[in-house]
Amino acid sequence: MSVTGKTVIVTGSNSGIGLGVAQELARAGANVVLNSFTNRDEDHAIAAEIAKEFGVEARYIKADMSKAEECRALIDQAGGCDILVNNAGIQHVAPIDAFPTEKWDAIIAINLTSAFHTTAAALPHMRAAGWGRVVNIASAHGLTASPFKSAYVAAKHGIVGLTKTVALETAEEPITCNAVCPGYVLTPLVEAQIPDTMEKYNMGREEVIKKVMLERQPSREFATVEQLGGTVNFLCSDAAKQITGTTISVDGGWTAL
Ligand code: NAD
């Protein structure tokens, strides 16, 4: 089984890891549905570029992953999918006693609750098709913690738990559910953390990257979006048929420490 001709929905995929995963699966022949909460010409243009470059069908559907009904509507509007990649995510860094409640709520909604709604809406389509893959983009923070990231760490540990539960509920079906746990990948989400971290540690950009961000990543290299796309592609292959309910770290050794 390959992803050729399969339909993949990747939430939060107009940039970063989501876009990289969509591109890698399109390269492997999958039709892709891109998503974010905006509805700009450039969002639709990204889909058109993927369709042209890889000769697949590609669409962009606007849906805000912080809203339950829009999560479910995304799956309905796409007409279901064979592969669901729950990737949408945001970050906020603050000590817990200064952590804004609205940021906590938004992180839990977008990084965790959205996957509950999209998975619930997608599984009936996978069951009808007799094949399905759910891949949750968790994080090294789904397995370990860091200070000042209470909501993110809670959401990512939560999605690892959700992954295991969905895997058990689909264990006797031709459907798997796994979580991919990236370490640091240089995307807009990580880029946005650099100025705050520079200020907090009173360091320059390169020093922050090597000494703070990649301090816990023994390889001292960022993971790439292509590597993450390749990992998702592997989870869709026949070799991964018995891999379900687990996590695959793509973190340069972070969680081995
Ligand atoms: P990014 O900011 O480039 O991408 C996040 C995506 O989510 C964007 O497409 C954005 O538009 C979308 N998004 C945000 N809010 C949304 C909403 N309400 N509705 C729909 N879409 C929304 O960041 P990224 O680094 O590519 O992150 C993607 C995922 O990977 C996240 O879940 C993140 O936690 C996870 N992750 C990233 C890293 C890293 O180092 N970059 C490491 C581990 C895990």
Side-chain angles (χ1 to χ4, degrees):
M1 186 69 72
S2 82
V3 300
T4 306
K6 302 276 190 214
T7 297
V8 55
I9 298 176
V10 186
T11 69
S13 49
N14 62 355
S15 82
I17 294 172
L19 178 56
V21 168
Q23 284 171 324
E24 287 309 303
L25 292 188
R27 189 190 309 283
N31 299 317
V32 299
V33 176
L34 303 175
N35 152 262
S36 187
F37 60 94
T38 49
N39 202 4
R40 305 165 303 180
D41 287 348
E42 62 202 85
D43 296 321
H44 296 275
I46 296 172
E49 271 169 43
I50 290 181
K52 195 171 159 208
E53 184 173 356
F54 301 111
V56 296
E57 289 171 27
R59 286 183 285 162
Y60 176 87
I61 299 179
K62 183 225 160 215
D64 184 342
M65 291 298 104
S66 70
K67 300 192 166 81
E69 62 284 4
E70 293 195 28
C71 294
R72 290 176 187 260
L74 168 65
I75 307 299
D76 291 345
Q77 253 181 280
C81 60
D82 306 295
I83 304 159
L84 171 65
V85 181
N86 289 307
N87 167 80
I90 58 167
Q91 174 66 288
H92 186 80
V93 181
I96 191 158
D97 50 344
F99 210 96
T101 301
E102 66 275 13
K103 291 284 182 196
W104 171 277
D105 289 344
I107 290 174
I108 299 298
I110 296 166
N111 298 24
L112 174 59
T113 309
S114 68
F116 156 67
H117 293 296
T118 54
T119 304
L123 279 180
H125 294 277
M126 294 178 181
R127 287 184 169 127
W131 190 89
R133 294 285 182 268
V134 180
V135 182
N136 296 321
I137 305 300
S139 167
H141 283 115
L143 303 168
T144 63
S146 291
F148 316 122
K149 296 185 176 176
S150 53
Y152 189 83
V153 169
K156 294 300 186 181
H157 275 68
I159 204 156
V160 169
L162 177 69
T163 300
K164 293 177 185 176
T165 304
V166 172
L168 292 181
E169 291 185 19
T170 55
E172 292 184 39
E173 302 173 73
I175 295 171
T176 68
C177 179
N178 292 289
V180 174
C181 295
Y184 270 110
V185 188
L186 192 56
T187 64
L189 184 137
V190 169
E191 191 67 54
Q193 292 174 48
I194 296 178
D196 278 358
T197 319
M198 281 167 64
E199 201 179 307
K200 184 169 176 309
Y201 289 90
N202 194 23
M203 285 179 182
R205 184 185 161 86
E206 284 312 305
E207 213 181 354
V208 153
I209 290 175
K210 291 275 177 214
K211 292 195 180 155
V212 181
M213 294 187 145
L214 297 180
E215 194 253 329
R216 293 177 73 181
Q217 197 144 311
S219 67
R220 300 273 184 257
E221 280 181 28
F222 284 113
T224 68
V225 298
E226 291 79 10
Q227 290 160 359
L228 291 163
T231 305
V232 173
N233 197 14
F234 164 68
L235 285 170
C236 296
S237 72
D238 274 347
K241 223 171 161 183
Q242 286 299 314
I243 299 177
T244 195
T246 195
T247 56
I248 298 190
S249 292
V250 184
D251 66 1
W254 177 331
T255 44
L257 280 173

